[in-house]
PDB file of all heavy atoms in Angstrom:
ATOM      1  N   VAL Q 523     -73.337-152.315 -14.013  1.00 87.00           N
ATOM      2  CA  VAL Q 523     -73.060-150.969 -13.532  1.00 87.00           C
ATOM      3  C   VAL Q 523     -73.729-149.911 -14.398  1.00 87.00           C
ATOM      4  O   VAL Q 523     -74.428-149.023 -13.911  1.00 87.00           O
ATOM      5  CB  VAL Q 523     -71.530-150.709 -13.467  1.00 87.00           C
ATOM      6  CG1 VAL Q 523     -71.230-149.244 -13.151  1.00 87.00           C
ATOM      7  CG2 VAL Q 523     -70.876-151.620 -12.443  1.00 87.00           C
ATOM      8  N   HIS Q 524     -73.550-149.995 -15.719  1.00 88.00           N
ATOM      9  CA  HIS Q 524     -73.949-148.901 -16.601  1.00 88.00           C
ATOM     10  C   HIS Q 524     -75.323-149.064 -17.246  1.00 88.00           C
ATOM     11  O   HIS Q 524     -75.959-148.070 -17.578  1.00 88.00           O
ATOM     12  CB  HIS Q 524     -72.887-148.710 -17.698  1.00 88.00           C
ATOM     13  CG  HIS Q 524     -71.550-148.316 -17.155  1.00 88.00           C
ATOM     14  ND1 HIS Q 524     -71.291-147.074 -16.630  1.00 88.00           N
ATOM     15  CD2 HIS Q 524     -70.398-149.021 -17.035  1.00 88.00           C
ATOM     16  CE1 HIS Q 524     -70.039-147.021 -16.217  1.00 88.00           C
ATOM     17  NE2 HIS Q 524     -69.474-148.191 -16.452  1.00 88.00           N
ATOM     18  N   VAL Q 525     -75.789-150.279 -17.439  1.00 90.00           N
ATOM     19  CA  VAL Q 525     -77.057-150.475 -18.138  1.00 90.00           C
ATOM     20  C   VAL Q 525     -78.185-150.781 -17.149  1.00 90.00           C
ATOM     21  O   VAL Q 525     -79.181-150.069 -17.089  1.00 90.00           O
ATOM     22  CB  VAL Q 525     -76.937-151.606 -19.199  1.00 90.00           C
ATOM     23  CG1 VAL Q 525     -78.269-151.855 -19.883  1.00 90.00           C
ATOM     24  CG2 VAL Q 525     -75.865-151.245 -20.237  1.00 90.00           C
ATOM     25  N   ASN Q 526     -78.028-151.827 -16.371  1.00 90.00           N
ATOM     26  CA  ASN Q 526     -79.083-152.244 -15.440  1.00 90.00           C
ATOM     27  C   ASN Q 526     -79.097-151.440 -14.149  1.00 90.00           C
ATOM     28  O   ASN Q 526     -80.126-151.354 -13.496  1.00 90.00           O
ATOM     29  CB  ASN Q 526     -78.932-153.735 -15.090  1.00 90.00           C
ATOM     30  CG  ASN Q 526     -79.022-154.611 -16.320  1.00 90.00           C
ATOM     31  OD1 ASN Q 526     -79.620-154.244 -17.317  1.00 90.00           O
ATOM     32  ND2 ASN Q 526     -78.399-155.774 -16.248  1.00 90.00           N
ATOM     33  N   GLY Q 527     -77.984-150.891 -13.771  1.00 83.00           N
ATOM     34  CA  GLY Q 527     -77.901-150.138 -12.521  1.00 83.00           C
ATOM     35  C   GLY Q 527     -77.961-151.026 -11.286  1.00 83.00           C
ATOM     36  O   GLY Q 527     -78.284-150.554 -10.195  1.00 83.00           O
ATOM     37  N   THR Q 528     -77.650-152.298 -11.443  1.00 83.00           N
ATOM     38  CA  THR Q 528     -77.683-153.241 -10.321  1.00 83.00           C
ATOM     39  C   THR Q 528     -76.625-152.897  -9.288  1.00 83.00           C
ATOM     40  O   THR Q 528     -76.844-153.019  -8.088  1.00 83.00           O
ATOM     41  CB  THR Q 528     -77.432-154.688 -10.825  1.00 83.00           C
ATOM     42  OG1 THR Q 528     -78.341-154.942 -11.893  1.00 83.00           O
ATOM     43  CG2 THR Q 528     -77.627-155.695  -9.738  1.00 83.00           C
ATOM     44  N   ILE Q 529     -75.470-152.471  -9.758  1.00 77.00           N
ATOM     45  CA  ILE Q 529     -74.364-152.098  -8.882  1.00 77.00           C
ATOM     46  C   ILE Q 529     -74.161-150.593  -8.992  1.00 77.00           C
ATOM     47  O   ILE Q 529     -74.064-150.047 -10.083  1.00 77.00           O
ATOM     48  CB  ILE Q 529     -73.063-152.828  -9.293  1.00 77.00           C
ATOM     49  CG1 ILE Q 529     -73.231-154.332  -9.176  1.00 77.00           C
ATOM     50  CG2 ILE Q 529     -71.895-152.341  -8.443  1.00 77.00           C
ATOM     51  CD1 ILE Q 529     -72.037-155.119  -9.691  1.00 77.00           C
ATOM     52  N   SER Q 530     -74.113-149.939  -7.834  1.00 76.00           N
ATOM     53  CA  SER Q 530     -73.868-148.498  -7.812  1.00 76.00           C
ATOM     54  C   SER Q 530     -72.428-148.245  -7.417  1.00 76.00           C
ATOM     55  O   SER Q 530     -72.044-148.480  -6.273  1.00 76.00           O
ATOM     56  CB  SER Q 530     -74.796-147.818  -6.802  1.00 76.00           C
ATOM     57  OG  SER Q 530     -76.133-148.047  -7.154  1.00 76.00           O
ATOM     58  N   PRO Q 531     -71.615-147.795  -8.363  1.00 75.00           N
ATOM     59  CA  PRO Q 531     -70.206-147.552  -8.018  1.00 75.00           C
ATOM     60  C   PRO Q 531     -70.051-146.291  -7.183  1.00 75.00           C
ATOM     61  O   PRO Q 531     -70.854-145.356  -7.264  1.00 75.00           O
ATOM     62  CB  PRO Q 531     -69.543-147.387  -9.385  1.00 75.00           C
ATOM     63  CG  PRO Q 531     -70.623-146.882 -10.272  1.00 75.00           C
ATOM     64  CD  PRO Q 531     -71.898-147.492  -9.754  1.00 75.00           C
ATOM     65  N   TYR Q 532     -69.042-146.303  -6.362  1.00 75.00           N
ATOM     66  CA  TYR Q 532     -68.697-145.137  -5.553  1.00 75.00           C
ATOM     67  C   TYR Q 532     -67.186-144.980  -5.597  1.00 75.00           C
ATOM     68  O   TYR Q 532     -66.454-145.919  -5.303  1.00 75.00           O
ATOM     69  CB  TYR Q 532     -69.165-145.324  -4.103  1.00 75.00           C
ATOM     70  CG  TYR Q 532     -68.689-144.232  -3.177  1.00 75.00           C
ATOM     71  CD1 TYR Q 532     -69.301-142.987  -3.165  1.00 75.00           C
ATOM     72  CD2 TYR Q 532     -67.612-144.442  -2.337  1.00 75.00           C
ATOM     73  CE1 TYR Q 532     -68.860-141.982  -2.334  1.00 75.00           C
ATOM     74  CE2 TYR Q 532     -67.159-143.441  -1.494  1.00 75.00           C
ATOM     75  CZ  TYR Q 532     -67.792-142.214  -1.491  1.00 75.00           C
ATOM     76  OH  TYR Q 532     -67.344-141.222  -0.675  1.00 75.00           O
TER      77      TYR Q 532
END
Side-chain angles (χ1 to χ4, degrees):
V523 172
H524 297 288
V525 177
N526 300 335
T528 308
I529 299 174
S530 300
Y532 173 78

